Amino acid sequence: MGQVKDKKKARKAGAKTMAKRADLHDLYQAAVQSTEFEIEFYEKRYRELRGKNKTPLTLREDFCGTALLATDWCKSNPKREAIGIDLCSDTLKWGMENNLKPAGADVQSRVTLINENVLDVVTNEMDMICAMNFSYCIFKSRDLLRSYFVNVHQGLKKDGLFFMDLLGGTCTTDVCEEERDLEGWDASYVWEQTSYNPINHDLQCYIHFLFNDGSKLKKAFSYDWRLWSIPEIEEILYESGFSKVHIYWEEFKDNGDPDDEYLEGTGRYRAVRKISQQESWLAYFVVEK
Ligand SMILES: C[S@@+](CC[C@H](N)C(=O)[O-])C[C@H]1O[C@@H](n2cnc3c(N)ncnc32)[C@H](O)[C@@H]1O
């Protein structure tokens, strides 16, 4: 009760709520990006598929948003270069001010940001191209998705790799809400799916942030996607000229309880061709040109 009064008093005194003080891109990066994991995952797959002593140096980050991954890629090795592509100039500007400039002049000189549609950009051939956090699901027809994949295919060196992720599971084809604490913040992150249309697989999703002072950022980010299936994506990748598609799945700890359906992830991924359905999963495509 006392806490509620304190919060009201603070608001009357003109104190800004936590929601008003928060930076949306900071929150987004903390909630859904883990670039250290991604870079290690890309390096491991590259060595497995292209040779133990091979190190990828060039990365194109499609739908790069704040270009956190492109920045961290170049920070991870002084020989690395990256290109980041995004339609939203404000998000790219934020990334320039908050990720690239603080990384220093050398890193900045090795990252090129392009404010364009990924479908229209022609880049030099890269070792790797990635499309993370399901961004390509904005392409809702096979033709559009194929145009994007053909562009990626052309943008890779002959032994280049393409990485992307996909969400799925029984709860993905329904309305649902998932909340988790945001580490290091007095806040929680909420993923909400408000509609799923089984006729065309349109999926409407939102990210909300809830703060410990009771303030909220509802619909901080919204996504109007087609929920593609793994076989549909595989087929379109092969139609676009790619030679081999690998699906990586997270390994789970066996909790020994046959009645407990909750599976705890290990953070380790392995290539699979057969797997049981789960409530929710995140799979990685690793695709060879
Ligand atoms: C889900 S965010 C992904 C951000 C980041 N890549 C990540 O992994 O979290 C999607 C981003 O794609 C951008 N975007 C949407 N359509 C695009 C297009 N056709 N071409 C380039 N960028 C696009 C949006 O501006 C937004 O920054």
Side-chain angles (χ1 to χ4, degrees), residues 128-156:
M128 295 186 166
I129 296 181
C130 67
M132 303 313 288
N133 275 315
F134 332 120
S135 310
Y136 60 91
C137 292
I138 51 142
F139 299 130
K140 291 188 173 184
S141 70
R142 279 182 163 257
D143 284 349
L144 269 177
L145 192 60
R146 194 182 309 102
S147 307
Y148 172 56
F149 289 163
V150 167
N151 176 304
V152 171
H153 189 265
Q154 286 167 350
L156 284 169

Side-chain angles (χ1 to χ4, degrees), residues 25 28 32-33 38 61-67 69 85-89 91 114 116-119 130-135 138-139 165 221 223 225:
H25 294 300
Y28 176 90
V32 304
Q33 292 197 280
E38 269 156 28
E61 185 186 8
D62 285 352
F63 310 96
C64 69
T66 60
L69 180 61
I85 304 171
D86 202 282
L87 261 186
C88 179
S89 58
T91 308
I114 302 177
E116 282 209 48
N117 189 325
V118 291
L119 295 174
C130 67
M132 303 313 288
N133 275 315
F134 332 120
S135 310
I138 51 142
F139 299 130
D165 52 9
F221 294 92
Y223 303 104
W225 285 334

Side-chain angles (χ1 to χ4, degrees), residues 269-286:
Y269 283 75
R270 67 190 165 92
V272 292
R273 284 314 299 174
K274 190 171 180 200
I275 199 87
S276 304
Q277 178 63 304
Q278 293 159 210
E279 240 182 33
S280 99
W281 48 255
L282 189 155
Y284 287 91
F285 286 79
V286 181

